[in-house]
Amino acid sequence: MALLQSLGSIPRNSNVYVPCLHNKQLFVTCGLSCSLLSSLDGATCIVEEPVPELECNHEESDTRLLLHAAHAAASGYFNVGLRSPDTYVAVQACCCSFDIAAHLYFRTGTKSRARIIDINQLAAQYGEALCRALPGLHAFTGFDSTSAFVGRGKKLALTIMALSNDEDARKATTDLGMSLQVSDELTTLCEHFVCLLYGSKTCSYINELRYHLFCTKAPSSHLCRMLCKSIFRGQITKQPFGEELYMQHQSFLLQTTMGGFSKTGN
């Protein structure tokens, strides 16, 4: 669309593009706006129609994908395919699958290792409560602006949350990002989840966990280098982390009239 914008107008009479749009609908976004391109007969010209319900201020396509999927479902499509190499798109899709009235499929991978994942089947397998916690879990365990926990990956975190049935752990990752302010209660819940992540069922606080690891592991172990409580709290309350999670959760409000991200209250 940047190319089309630089040209000043859409090449409506191009013999190259017109046949490609016959019996097809192409939604093109540029900035806040979205347009629908189509060709009635595949021979004459391209018709451009604005789509105001898909206007939004999402900067990344990974959050726009779900907005377009919800729009497709509202337009009467029963099966919607999402294509992306980004894990976070699959995470979003699992969370939003309960709000989109269509069957979602996620295509990812390279040409030789491409695969299609049935999002609805995956969401049904894990359950709605766990799927609602996935975006917070994904960001909390390492994302674009957040560091991963030393020696602990996302697969282990997901396994712990899926098998432990710990309501506090799910509440911690579900509530993350719902507000730009992180309460003391939420910080405590996050600490509890970190303790589970490092295999401790007796510890409830990070400083307590650090002391336990120092006593049971070799001092040179990489596990003894995990952050202390004061740094941990700074990590989950610093502005970039809070804003990013807040933006992620806002993108799950899939009403087509939302107009993108917005900040209300705190």
Side-chain angles (χ1 to χ4, degrees):
M1 189 61 183
L3 176 60
L4 298 179
Q5 188 179 35
S6 65
L7 293 175
S9 62
I10 295 176
R12 305 170 190 275
N13 299 315
S14 173
N15 293 329
V16 177
Y17 299 109
V18 171
C20 298
L21 291 176
H22 183 45
N23 291 328
K24 296 182 178 67
Q25 293 181 330
L26 176 63
F27 291 88
V28 184
T29 61
C30 179
L32 301 180
S33 63
C34 180
S35 299
L36 170 61
L37 306 183
S38 61
S39 177
L40 299 178
D41 55 8
T44 53
C45 64
I46 297 176
V47 178
E48 178 189 5
E49 301 175 38
V51 188
E53 58 267 28
L54 286 178
E55 292 181 359
C56 67
N57 58 4
H58 296 196
E59 294 183 0
E60 302 292 338
S61 60
D62 56 356
T63 54
R64 286 199 181 201
L65 277 175
L66 275 300
L67 190 63
H68 281 257
H71 178 265
S75 300
Y77 291 93
F78 298 102
N79 297 294
V80 177
L82 306 171
R83 185 174 181 177
S84 173
D86 195 344
T87 302
Y88 183 58
V89 176
V91 170
Q92 278 186 314
C94 285
C95 181
C96 295
S97 62
F98 300 94
D99 302 316
I100 298 178
H103 206 103
L104 300 181
Y105 296 92
F106 179 66
R107 188 180 190 276
T108 188
T110 59
K111 291 183 179 180
S112 60
R113 301 182 61 183
R115 59 193 184 277
I116 297 177
I117 301 172
D118 189 328
I119 294 296
N120 289 69
Q121 182 181 10
L122 188 64
Q125 175 184 343
Y126 283 106
E128 183 174 359
L130 180 57
C131 288
R132 297 293 188 187
L134 284 180
L137 177 69
H138 180 61
F140 185 63
T141 54
F143 197 53
D144 291 347
S145 64
T146 58
S147 302
F149 290 97
V150 58
R152 295 297 184 267
K154 296 180 183 295
K155 184 177 180 180
L156 176 61
L158 177 60
T159 301
I160 291 175
M161 184 168 291
L163 298 181
S164 67
N165 292 322
D166 192 298
E167 294 299 329
D168 288 341
R170 292 188 182 183
K171 179 175 174 56
T173 53
T174 303
D175 290 352
L176 272 176
M178 297 304 292
S179 171
L180 292 180
Q181 303 297 325
V182 180
S183 65
D184 292 336
E185 178 185 2
L186 182 55
T187 302
T188 301
L189 292 177
C190 290
E191 286 190 69
H192 171 70
F193 178 71
V194 173
C195 292
L196 294 178
L197 194 60
Y198 282 91
S200 176
K201 296 182 179 180
T202 58
C203 300
S204 299
Y205 302 98
I206 281 187
N207 286 347
E208 182 184 5
L209 174 65
R210 293 181 75 239
Y211 179 76
H212 172 74
L213 292 175
F214 185 81
C215 293
T216 57
K217 304 289 183 181
S220 59
S221 173
H222 64 282
L223 295 179
C224 295
R225 301 197 299 269
M226 67 174 297
L227 43 76
C228 62
K229 180 175 181 178
S230 60
I231 298 178
F232 172 77
R233 182 173 178 83
Q235 288 287 334
I236 65 174
T237 57
K238 68 180 182 179
Q239 195 71 2
F241 179 78
E243 285 185 349
E244 183 157 35
L245 276 176
Y246 181 78
M247 292 301 189
Q248 292 167 15
H249 280 282
Q250 285 296 89
S251 70
F252 299 150
L253 304 178
L254 296 175
Q255 294 85 353
T256 55
T257 57
M258 65 175 293
F261 296 136
S262 62
K263 177 181 177 181
T264 57
N266 295 324

